[in-house]
Short mmCIF file of all heavy atoms in Angstrom, two decimals:
data_model
loop_
_atom_site.label_atom_id
_atom_site.label_comp_id
_atom_site.label_asym_id
_atom_site.label_seq_id
_atom_site.Cartn_x
_atom_site.Cartn_y
_atom_site.Cartn_z
N PRO U 36 10.90 -19.25 -14.22
CA PRO U 36 10.74 -19.42 -12.80
C PRO U 36 11.40 -20.73 -12.30
O PRO U 36 11.07 -21.79 -12.86
CB PRO U 36 9.21 -19.45 -12.56
CG PRO U 36 8.63 -19.82 -13.93
CD PRO U 36 9.57 -19.23 -14.96
N GLY U 37 12.23 -20.69 -11.33
CA GLY U 37 12.89 -21.85 -10.77
C GLY U 37 11.98 -22.47 -9.72
O GLY U 37 10.79 -22.08 -9.56
N PRO U 38 12.48 -23.43 -8.93
CA PRO U 38 11.65 -24.07 -7.94
C PRO U 38 11.01 -23.10 -6.99
O PRO U 38 11.65 -22.15 -6.45
CB PRO U 38 12.66 -24.96 -7.20
CG PRO U 38 13.75 -25.19 -8.18
CD PRO U 38 13.83 -23.95 -9.01
N GLY U 39 9.71 -23.26 -6.75
CA GLY U 39 8.99 -22.41 -5.83
C GLY U 39 8.67 -21.01 -6.27
O GLY U 39 8.31 -20.17 -5.49
N ARG U 40 8.87 -20.74 -7.62
CA ARG U 40 8.67 -19.39 -8.07
C ARG U 40 7.68 -19.32 -9.25
O ARG U 40 7.40 -20.37 -9.86
CB ARG U 40 10.03 -18.76 -8.53
CG ARG U 40 11.02 -18.60 -7.36
CD ARG U 40 12.34 -18.10 -7.75
NE ARG U 40 12.32 -16.67 -8.24
CZ ARG U 40 12.21 -15.65 -7.45
NH1 ARG U 40 12.12 -15.82 -6.09
NH2 ARG U 40 12.20 -14.45 -7.94
N VAL U 41 7.10 -18.11 -9.42
CA VAL U 41 6.02 -17.94 -10.34
C VAL U 41 6.28 -16.73 -11.23
O VAL U 41 6.74 -15.71 -10.77
CB VAL U 41 4.72 -17.70 -9.57
CG1 VAL U 41 3.53 -17.46 -10.50
CG2 VAL U 41 4.42 -18.89 -8.63
N ARG U 42 6.01 -16.90 -12.52
CA ARG U 42 6.15 -15.75 -13.47
C ARG U 42 4.73 -15.22 -13.73
O ARG U 42 3.78 -15.96 -13.95
CB ARG U 42 6.77 -16.17 -14.76
CG ARG U 42 7.00 -14.99 -15.68
CD ARG U 42 8.07 -15.31 -16.77
NE ARG U 42 8.16 -14.27 -17.75
CZ ARG U 42 9.21 -14.04 -18.49
NH1 ARG U 42 10.34 -14.78 -18.35
NH2 ARG U 42 9.27 -13.04 -19.36
N VAL U 43 4.62 -13.83 -13.63
CA VAL U 43 3.31 -13.21 -13.80
C VAL U 43 3.43 -12.08 -14.82
O VAL U 43 4.38 -11.28 -14.85
CB VAL U 43 2.84 -12.58 -12.47
CG1 VAL U 43 1.53 -11.81 -12.62
CG2 VAL U 43 2.73 -13.63 -11.37
N VAL U 85 5.53 -25.71 -7.28
CA VAL U 85 4.47 -24.70 -7.06
C VAL U 85 3.10 -25.37 -7.12
O VAL U 85 2.79 -26.01 -8.10
CB VAL U 85 4.58 -23.55 -8.06
CG1 VAL U 85 3.34 -22.63 -7.96
CG2 VAL U 85 5.87 -22.81 -7.84
N ALA U 87 0.21 -23.54 -5.44
CA ALA U 87 -0.83 -22.51 -5.10
C ALA U 87 -1.54 -22.01 -6.30
O ALA U 87 -2.73 -21.60 -6.22
CB ALA U 87 -0.19 -21.36 -4.27
N VAL U 88 -0.84 -21.90 -7.48
CA VAL U 88 -1.44 -21.34 -8.67
C VAL U 88 -0.98 -22.15 -9.88
O VAL U 88 -0.01 -22.90 -9.81
CB VAL U 88 -1.02 -19.81 -8.83
CG1 VAL U 88 -1.64 -18.99 -7.76
CG2 VAL U 88 0.52 -19.73 -8.86
N VAL U 95 -3.25 -11.54 -7.46
CA VAL U 95 -2.84 -10.28 -6.80
C VAL U 95 -1.49 -10.53 -6.18
O VAL U 95 -1.24 -11.60 -5.59
CB VAL U 95 -3.85 -9.81 -5.79
CG1 VAL U 95 -3.31 -8.56 -5.01
CG2 VAL U 95 -5.21 -9.53 -6.35
N LEU U 96 -0.52 -9.57 -6.34
CA LEU U 96 0.78 -9.74 -5.77
C LEU U 96 0.78 -9.29 -4.29
O LEU U 96 0.15 -8.31 -3.94
CB LEU U 96 1.77 -8.88 -6.56
CG LEU U 96 1.92 -9.29 -8.02
CD1 LEU U 96 2.92 -8.39 -8.73
CD2 LEU U 96 2.39 -10.75 -8.18
N ASN U 97 1.54 -10.03 -3.51
CA ASN U 97 1.59 -9.78 -2.03
C ASN U 97 3.06 -9.37 -1.75
O ASN U 97 3.97 -10.20 -1.81
CB ASN U 97 1.25 -11.06 -1.29
CG ASN U 97 1.44 -10.95 0.20
OD1 ASN U 97 1.75 -9.84 0.70
ND2 ASN U 97 1.29 -12.08 0.91
N TRP U 98 3.21 -8.07 -1.46
CA TRP U 98 4.63 -7.58 -1.29
C TRP U 98 5.29 -7.97 0.06
O TRP U 98 6.50 -7.78 0.24
CB TRP U 98 4.65 -6.07 -1.45
CG TRP U 98 3.85 -5.29 -0.44
CD1 TRP U 98 2.56 -4.87 -0.58
CD2 TRP U 98 4.27 -4.78 0.87
NE1 TRP U 98 2.17 -4.14 0.55
CE2 TRP U 98 3.18 -4.15 1.44
CE3 TRP U 98 5.47 -4.93 1.54
CZ2 TRP U 98 3.29 -3.55 2.70
CZ3 TRP U 98 5.51 -4.39 2.83
CH2 TRP U 98 4.46 -3.67 3.37
N PRO U 100 5.07 -11.33 1.76
CA PRO U 100 4.65 -12.74 1.97
C PRO U 100 5.22 -13.29 3.27
O PRO U 100 6.44 -13.31 3.50
CB PRO U 100 5.21 -13.43 0.77
CG PRO U 100 6.34 -12.63 0.31
CD PRO U 100 5.98 -11.20 0.65
N ASN U 118 10.65 -12.79 8.04
CA ASN U 118 11.24 -13.14 6.75
C ASN U 118 10.50 -12.62 5.53
O ASN U 118 10.70 -13.04 4.42
CB ASN U 118 11.36 -14.71 6.68
CG ASN U 118 12.11 -15.28 7.81
OD1 ASN U 118 13.27 -14.84 8.04
ND2 ASN U 118 11.58 -16.22 8.55
N ALA U 119 9.55 -11.70 5.77
CA ALA U 119 8.73 -11.18 4.68
C ALA U 119 9.50 -10.50 3.59
O ALA U 119 9.11 -10.51 2.43
CB ALA U 119 7.67 -10.25 5.26
N ALA U 121 12.63 -11.28 2.69
CA ALA U 121 13.86 -12.04 2.36
C ALA U 121 14.19 -12.00 0.92
O ALA U 121 15.35 -11.98 0.50
CB ALA U 121 13.57 -13.51 2.74
N ALA U 122 13.18 -11.84 0.01
CA ALA U 122 13.41 -11.83 -1.43
C ALA U 122 13.99 -10.51 -1.88
O ALA U 122 14.59 -10.41 -2.99
CB ALA U 122 12.13 -12.14 -2.19
N ASN U 123 13.84 -9.45 -1.13
CA ASN U 123 14.30 -8.14 -1.53
C ASN U 123 15.80 -8.02 -1.76
O ASN U 123 16.30 -7.22 -2.52
CB ASN U 123 13.92 -7.06 -0.49
CG ASN U 123 12.40 -7.00 -0.30
OD1 ASN U 123 11.67 -7.69 -0.94
ND2 ASN U 123 12.01 -6.15 0.62
N LYS U 125 17.83 -10.46 -2.77
CA LYS U 125 18.36 -11.44 -3.70
C LYS U 125 18.05 -10.97 -5.18
O LYS U 125 16.91 -10.72 -5.48
CB LYS U 125 17.74 -12.80 -3.44
CG LYS U 125 18.01 -13.38 -2.08
CD LYS U 125 17.27 -14.66 -1.86
CE LYS U 125 17.55 -15.20 -0.43
NZ LYS U 125 16.77 -16.48 -0.18
N TYR U 127 16.87 -10.89 -8.92
CA TYR U 127 15.86 -11.71 -9.54
C TYR U 127 15.87 -11.60 -11.03
O TYR U 127 15.22 -12.39 -11.73
CB TYR U 127 14.51 -11.29 -8.99
CG TYR U 127 13.85 -10.17 -9.76
CD1 TYR U 127 12.71 -10.38 -10.51
CD2 TYR U 127 14.39 -8.86 -9.77
CE1 TYR U 127 12.12 -9.32 -11.26
CE2 TYR U 127 13.81 -7.85 -10.51
CZ TYR U 127 12.67 -8.10 -11.26
OH TYR U 127 12.11 -7.06 -11.92
N PRO U 138 14.43 -7.01 -6.67
CA PRO U 138 13.03 -6.74 -6.76
C PRO U 138 12.58 -5.82 -5.62
O PRO U 138 12.65 -6.21 -4.43
CB PRO U 138 12.38 -8.15 -6.58
CG PRO U 138 13.36 -8.87 -5.73
CD PRO U 138 14.73 -8.32 -6.02
N LEU U 140 10.56 -4.38 -2.84
CA LEU U 140 9.54 -4.99 -1.97
C LEU U 140 9.01 -6.28 -2.54
O LEU U 140 7.77 -6.46 -2.68
CB LEU U 140 8.36 -3.99 -1.78
CG LEU U 140 8.71 -2.76 -0.85
CD1 LEU U 140 7.48 -1.89 -0.64
CD2 LEU U 140 9.23 -3.24 0.48
N THR U 141 9.93 -7.14 -2.91
CA THR U 141 9.61 -8.51 -3.34
C THR U 141 9.11 -8.70 -4.77
O THR U 141 9.49 -9.60 -5.48
CB THR U 141 8.71 -9.22 -2.37
OG1 THR U 141 9.26 -9.25 -1.08
CG2 THR U 141 8.41 -10.66 -2.77
N VAL U 142 8.16 -7.85 -5.20
CA VAL U 142 7.36 -8.16 -6.39
C VAL U 142 7.76 -7.44 -7.68
O VAL U 142 7.42 -7.93 -8.75
CB VAL U 142 5.85 -8.00 -6.15
CG1 VAL U 142 5.41 -8.85 -4.99
CG2 VAL U 142 5.53 -6.53 -5.88
N ALA U 143 8.47 -6.32 -7.60
CA ALA U 143 8.98 -5.61 -8.81
C ALA U 143 7.87 -5.41 -9.88
O ALA U 143 8.00 -5.92 -11.00
CB ALA U 143 10.14 -6.39 -9.40
N THR U 149 7.01 -10.18 -14.11
CA THR U 149 7.90 -10.36 -12.96
C THR U 149 7.95 -11.84 -12.60
O THR U 149 7.09 -12.62 -13.05
CB THR U 149 7.38 -9.49 -11.78
OG1 THR U 149 8.36 -9.49 -10.72
CG2 THR U 149 6.06 -10.01 -11.22
N VAL U 150 8.93 -12.14 -11.80
CA VAL U 150 9.05 -13.50 -11.26
C VAL U 150 9.16 -13.34 -9.70
O VAL U 150 10.01 -12.63 -9.24
CB VAL U 150 10.29 -14.23 -11.80
CG1 VAL U 150 10.50 -15.55 -11.12
CG2 VAL U 150 10.19 -14.41 -13.34
N VAL U 151 8.27 -14.05 -9.01
CA VAL U 151 8.18 -13.87 -7.55
C VAL U 151 8.05 -15.20 -6.86
O VAL U 151 7.79 -16.20 -7.44
CB VAL U 151 6.91 -13.03 -7.21
CG1 VAL U 151 7.01 -11.65 -7.82
CG2 VAL U 151 5.65 -13.75 -7.68
N PRO U 152 8.34 -15.23 -5.53
CA PRO U 152 8.11 -16.46 -4.72
C PRO U 152 6.62 -16.89 -4.78
O PRO U 152 5.75 -16.00 -4.91
CB PRO U 152 8.56 -16.01 -3.33
CG PRO U 152 9.39 -14.86 -3.52
CD PRO U 152 8.85 -14.12 -4.70
N GLU U 153 6.39 -18.15 -4.62
CA GLU U 153 4.98 -18.61 -4.61
C GLU U 153 4.14 -17.92 -3.58
O GLU U 153 2.97 -17.65 -3.86
CB GLU U 153 4.93 -20.15 -4.39
CG GLU U 153 3.59 -20.78 -4.38
CD GLU U 153 3.65 -22.28 -4.14
OE1 GLU U 153 4.72 -22.78 -3.72
OE2 GLU U 153 2.65 -22.93 -4.35
N ARG U 154 4.73 -17.64 -2.41
CA ARG U 154 3.92 -17.01 -1.38
C ARG U 154 3.52 -15.55 -1.71
O ARG U 154 2.73 -14.98 -1.03
CB ARG U 154 4.72 -17.02 -0.07
CG ARG U 154 4.75 -18.39 0.66
CD ARG U 154 5.49 -18.29 1.99
NE ARG U 154 5.46 -19.55 2.68
CZ ARG U 154 4.51 -19.89 3.55
NH1 ARG U 154 3.46 -19.07 3.76
NH2 ARG U 154 4.52 -21.05 4.14
N ALA U 155 4.15 -15.01 -2.73
CA ALA U 155 3.89 -13.64 -3.12
C ALA U 155 2.72 -13.50 -4.10
O ALA U 155 2.50 -12.40 -4.62
CB ALA U 155 5.15 -12.96 -3.65
N VAL U 156 2.02 -14.59 -4.39
CA VAL U 156 0.88 -14.46 -5.29
C VAL U 156 -0.33 -15.01 -4.55
O VAL U 156 -0.34 -16.02 -3.84
CB VAL U 156 1.05 -15.26 -6.62
CG1 VAL U 156 2.12 -14.62 -7.48
CG2 VAL U 156 1.41 -16.75 -6.34
N LEU U 157 -1.44 -14.22 -4.73
CA LEU U 157 -2.72 -14.60 -4.08
C LEU U 157 -3.77 -14.76 -5.20
O LEU U 157 -3.96 -13.88 -6.05
CB LEU U 157 -3.18 -13.49 -3.16
CG LEU U 157 -2.29 -13.17 -1.95
CD1 LEU U 157 -2.73 -11.88 -1.34
CD2 LEU U 157 -2.28 -14.29 -1.00
#
Side-chain angles (χ1 to χ4, degrees):
R40 295 178 68 78
V41 177
R42 182 160 175 156
V43 178
V85 171
V88 293
V95 174
L96 298 178
N97 175 7
W98 61 266
N118 301 308
N123 300 358
K125 299 176 182 177
Y127 87 113
L140 289 183
T141 300
V142 301
T149 188
V150 176
V151 298
E153 180 180 13
R154 286 183 175 271
V156 291
L157 300 168

